Amino acid sequence: MSRAVLGAIAALVGWGCASDALEPVREVRLGTHVEDWRDEILYQIVVDRFANGDPRNDWRVDPDWRALGRYKGGDWQGIIERLDYLEALGVTAIWISPIVLNVDTDAGVDGYHGYWQVDLERLNPHFGDLATLRALVRACHARGIKVVLDVVTNHMGQVFYYDINMNGRPDVLVAGSGTRSAVTHVTEYDPDYDPRGIQAFTSLGEAGPAPIRFFDMPEIFRVPPSPAVLRRPEAYHRRGRVTDWGVREQVLFGDFPGGLKDLATGEPAVREALVDAFVRWVLWTDVDGFRIDTLKHVEHEFWAYFAPEVRRRLAAAGKRNFILFGEAFDGDEALVGSYTAPGLLDSVFHFPHKFQVFDDVFLRGAPTRRIEALLERRETFFGTEPQPDGIGIAPARALVHFIDNHDVPRFLFYTDDPRRLRAALAYLLTQDGIPCIYYGTEQDFFGGNDPANREPLWWSGYRTDGETFRWIARLTRIRRALEPLRRGDFRLRWVSDRVGDEADAGIVAFERVTPSGGYALVVINARDGERRTAFGGEVMRVGEQAPPGTVLVDVLGGERFTVASSGTLEVRVGPYGARILVRESDRVTIPSP
Ligand code: ABC
Ligand code: CA
């Protein structure tokens, strides 16, 4: 066993070594670093895969490039050393994968992603220590980059087994051994859902709730969880693994596939422990928000407690505008939107938008009319009032839009035409809400299902001269320079029902207008061939901010267009191209990347 492993284990079991968490740590001075979250451009980082800055924490690292389910060595120091890269790309906020101690490895897969938490009060030593995490946040803030932490409230890692046969050992049991009945395997690590709770079994039949037994394997950090309230059976729902995602009760109370044990989030002591633990990391590091995992697996009552309580405690410590947004992985707008109801979260990832717009329209060529339908329903399903003491923007106006993430195949897995991706990026970075870019997109990564979509970024050589990198870098500069693109209302001006060779097939055009009259007009062509904002004698009409005679300049290509006396404007756009038009009289300048 290497020195580093021994050191980590020693720290874990508390042998004299300095421990990050359990001793008093001086809190840092908290600040409010964000004015309006819609000004931010998020960049999602899987820490283990972004950059390796510290070889001393490289134990259990498997260098085989095919072994993507193993630790690869990335860490917080690596991010610190690559801030120039992020600045060149032009993103303004990073969301980093979970930071706390995880079950290190299980069934041949490692906890490199961070979602197998075991101790909410200690950091994952693969990524660094508290000093490094603080240094990261400080270095980011010094460059105007905000930091969002990924937190999990739904479950712990695989920290216990259900001792169904009560023999004190984790077994895989064979049930129904009779010749006629089917033979089934029951694993005590991860048994199937039982609404009564997992039952124990003896030769006499069922014997009441199965005891749960925590593992004690410090060499892989598979130890009784912390804080101590999470070592009581009542802290878990104990009903076994979800077998049917269509059953709401299972989705809420079942263990997450992979044996991730579902926390009893209705229990006051559990709720409080979660708030305590995650708020403490903010007090200790000054991060700017939470990306919350698995929203739809936790009952709404929990969010009604968690969100205001986090906001209250942080406000008391001097931090405001702390964003709380989360992941409800679902195509159902009503469900996804429900987490932004009054009193709950500031925002959510817009999964329905990912499916219907980025996948259907930009990837598969569905009519751009889809965008209109989604937009029309938005205010029905997503919160229209800012959350009390939240970020000050209504959830419906601050939705987090994304093309792909670490749980789905990358956009370029489905197409080998990067022009499609660039059209999607143009839309992502000019529409309203908060755009989020998954690391590696800028390098044309094309990985498929998890874990193939979590490629080490160093495979790219961190080049900044690729076409997609440069395209994103230009778009981020433009978004940052043009207030209407960040804060303006979104007004659709042209979408099409057509998907063939028609003049306007694939065109989406929209205006962004601020209350003080700031104006931008965006025209994107999601298809091949030159297209325009006109069809069958009808031409796009523009808003009153661009009256007849107004000259509009494309900040991307430099071309000029004049609004006709009829208040219409015909804009041509090349294959998968985009135009971002501003009034010439506004004399806009965009800094070059
Ligand atoms: C590992 C393996 C996977 C294997 C899995 C069972 O175990 O790598 O190959 O499939 C973490 C790790 C994963 C790891 C898991 C389990 O833990 O990152 O690598 O997977 O060990 C969050 C995080 C995610 C994280 C977890 C767990 C949760 O972002 O990284 O995973 O902490 C569900 C959850 C969602 C979760 C996601 C992975 O699984 O709801 O919170 N993400 C349907 C369901 C969704 C489901 C989705 C994907 O499939 O409704 O609930 O997400 O499995 C639309 C429908 C949707 C539908 C999609 C596919 O189609 O409207 O409802 O989603 O049209
Ligand atoms: Ca749950």
Side-chain angles (χ1 to χ4, degrees), residues 115-116 155 291 293-294 296-297 327 331 406-407 450 454:
Y115 296 99
W116 295 348
H155 51 260
R291 175 271 185 192
D293 194 54
T294 29
K296 75 180 209 193
H297 305 289
E327 180 231 19
H406 65 312
D407 287 336
D450 158 18
R454 300 166 182 189

Side-chain angles (χ1 to χ4, degrees), residues 273-500:
L274 290 165
V275 170
D276 283 350
F278 293 128
V279 163
R280 191 175 311 128
W281 292 118
V282 184
L283 300 179
W284 285 358
T285 60
D286 194 27
V287 291
D288 306 292
F290 288 156
R291 175 271 185 192
I292 307 167
D293 194 54
T294 29
L295 288 186
K296 75 180 209 193
H297 305 289
V298 181
E299 61 294 354
H300 285 76
E301 293 75 12
F302 175 83
W303 305 117
Y305 165 79
F306 185 84
E309 189 61 15
V310 168
R311 291 182 187 119
R312 190 180 64 75
R313 295 198 200 183
L314 292 180
K319 196 172 194 67
R320 305 193 164 271
N321 260 359
F322 187 86
I323 195 169
L324 296 173
F325 66 100
E327 180 231 19
F329 191 140
D330 211 285
D332 177 356
E333 289 152 75
L335 180 67
V336 174
S338 69
Y339 299 96
T340 64
L344 308 187
L345 306 182
D346 296 297
S347 180
V348 283
F349 290 106
H350 201 336
F351 273 91
H353 186 280
K354 182 249 183 309
F355 298 135
Q356 295 181 42
V357 178
F358 289 121
D359 291 357
D360 292 350
V361 175
F362 284 93
L363 192 55
R364 302 196 188 101
T368 53
R369 180 75 68 195
R370 286 285 174 84
I371 295 173
E372 180 179 52
L374 199 59
L375 216 60
E376 277 169 357
R377 291 191 298 265
R378 196 163 75 175
E379 312 261 300
T380 313
F381 293 119
F382 296 92
T384 52
E385 290 299 324
Q387 299 296 2
D389 302 314
I391 61 167
I393 319 282
R397 297 302 174 94
L399 295 172
V400 181
H401 293 117
F402 65 102
I403 294 173
D404 50 22
N405 67 21
H406 65 312
D407 287 336
V408 297
R410 290 180 181 271
F411 189 91
L412 288 182
F413 177 72
Y414 296 107
T415 171
D416 51 18
D417 190 347
R419 295 177 307 165
R420 280 183 186 275
L421 173 63
R422 285 179 219 133
L425 283 163
Y427 188 62
L428 178 74
L429 289 163
T430 52
Q431 74 176 131
D432 68 353
I434 305 170
C436 182
I437 301 170
Y438 184 40
Y439 87 94
T441 303
E442 71 278 13
Q443 300 290 351
D444 291 331
F445 279 2
F446 53 84
N449 277 302
D450 158 18
N453 56 355
R454 300 166 182 189
E455 309 92 321
L457 189 58
W458 48 91
W459 288 356
S460 70
Y462 302 101
R463 290 182 61 157
T464 57
D465 57 355
E467 221 176 305
T468 303
F469 188 102
R470 287 186 294 132
W471 179 239
I472 295 175
R474 286 181 77 196
L475 291 167
T476 54
R477 294 315 179 289
I478 292 169
R479 187 175 179 92
R480 287 161 62 174
L482 298 182
E483 191 192 356
L485 292 185
R486 292 178 273 117
R487 303 187 184 186
D489 284 347
F490 184 98
R491 299 190 188 150
L492 216 42
R493 284 292 169 196
W494 195 276
V495 284
S496 172
D497 295 311
R498 292 159 282 277
V499 293

